Amino acid sequence: MNQHIKRFITIADFLGEVLGSNTEIILHDLTNYEESIVYIINGHISNRKIGGRPTDLILEFIAAESEGNKQFISNYNSKSIEGKLLYSSTYFIRDDDNKIVGALGLNSDYHEVKKSLSFLTSLLPNYVDDKVLSLNNIKENLNTDPQELTLNKIDAILNEFDIVPNRMTTDEKTEVITALNDCGVFNIRGSVQEVASKLQMSEPSIYRYIKKIKS
């Protein structure tokens, strides 16, 4: 485990004691994408385990902010593998050279609280809570299955561009592959194969586009 990550284990334990059983505290060592989850408290919240992979939000943040100074993303909504809505925040751990090497995530399950709130608001029909409404705005998917994560991201980007793969021009392919690269998709093992299949291209072609984008 990276030395910078080890320092956060006692902080994770502290947060677990303070926040209780409704909040998952998860620690990622991002020097190893294949098995980034190295410590977890209340794993029943998302049903993830030690040895799991980083989420789509983490990969996107690394791709976009690796050279920046942004330290955390707070108070956003995420979704568990079962589709359960959670309230989340992520703190990114940087080394002495400002490189992102880890992440400390908090994922709170307020399902029971929401049920109580729903009952209370039924007595106040004119009351609307912005936090409840925002639960439809999902920012992070906690399903870290690499194949599903990759396919979901490809589908989302293709829908955004509204492009049929077998009719894409070279420029459109470059745009789509650039968008996937910016989201950190190609940091996932096996992603090139999935992208090639989805875009109806060969794997060597995908690698050529990636090389061109990075040059």
Side-chain angles (χ1 to χ4, degrees):
M1 187 188 304
N2 185 285
Q3 61 175 340
H4 296 280
I5 312 302
K6 287 182 180 179
R7 299 172 185 169
F8 281 81
I9 290 179
T10 54
I11 295 175
D13 289 335
F14 166 70
L15 291 171
E17 290 287 334
V18 172
L19 299 175
S21 62
N22 287 335
T23 297
E24 174 187 79
I25 296 94
I26 189 164
L27 194 58
H28 289 270
D29 182 344
L30 297 174
T31 62
N32 180 10
Y33 288 151
E34 297 303 316
E35 298 179 336
S36 72
I37 298 175
V38 293
Y39 199 69
I40 189 166
I41 298 170
N42 297 326
H44 63 277
I45 299 293
S46 71
N47 281 329
R48 288 178 294 171
K49 295 178 174 61
I50 289 176
R53 299 168 185 250
T55 65
D56 51 354
L57 179 140
I58 289 176
L59 292 173
E60 288 181 24
F61 188 93
I62 292 171
E65 298 288 340
S66 59
E67 304 299 326
N69 294 304
K70 191 171 183 179
Q71 198 68 61
F72 58 84
I73 305 173
S74 60
N75 305 325
Y76 61 85
N77 297 119
S78 61
K79 184 172 67 173
S80 72
I81 297 170
E82 297 83 7
K84 182 165 54 179
L85 295 168
L86 304 174
Y87 194 59
S88 302
S89 296
T90 301
Y91 180 91
F92 292 91
I93 303 166
R94 296 178 183 267
D95 63 13
D96 296 335
D97 296 319
N98 202 42
K99 180 183 177 182
I100 296 172
V101 294
L104 176 67
L106 305 178
N107 302 297
S108 299
D109 180 5
Y110 292 146
H111 179 69
E112 294 302 319
V113 175
K114 282 174 59 188
K115 285 200 297 188
S116 299
L117 183 60
S118 294
F119 170 72
L120 292 173
T121 53
S122 70
L123 305 177
L124 301 167
N126 294 323
Y127 174 77
V128 178
D129 190 330
D130 290 340
K131 293 293 185 186
V132 174
L133 290 177
S134 70
L135 289 175
N136 292 318
N137 182 21
I138 304 301
K139 190 168 184 177
E140 181 178 27
N141 190 337
L142 301 184
N143 184 354
T144 56
D145 175 79
Q147 183 180 35
E148 187 170 342
L149 191 154
T150 303
L151 293 177
N152 287 344
K153 187 60 67 176
I154 296 169
D155 287 339
I157 288 173
L158 285 176
N159 288 335
E160 187 177 312
F161 282 96
D162 193 23
I163 301 171
V164 179
N166 61 4
R167 295 182 180 177
M168 287 194 300
T169 65
T170 300
D171 287 343
E172 288 170 338
K173 290 176 182 178
T174 301
E175 283 189 76
V176 170
I177 294 172
T178 298
L180 290 169
N181 183 67
D182 289 345
C183 291
V185 164
F186 295 116
N187 288 324
I188 304 170
R189 181 183 295 176
S191 61
V192 170
Q193 181 181 357
E194 297 295 344
V195 172
S197 174
K198 197 75 174 179
L199 298 185
Q200 300 177 28
M201 298 169 61
S202 69
E203 291 181 42
S205 294
I206 300 295
Y207 280 114
R208 283 196 293 272
Y209 275 90
I210 295 171
K211 183 178 180 180
K212 180 181 176 182
I213 290 164
K214 292 183 176 181
S215 63

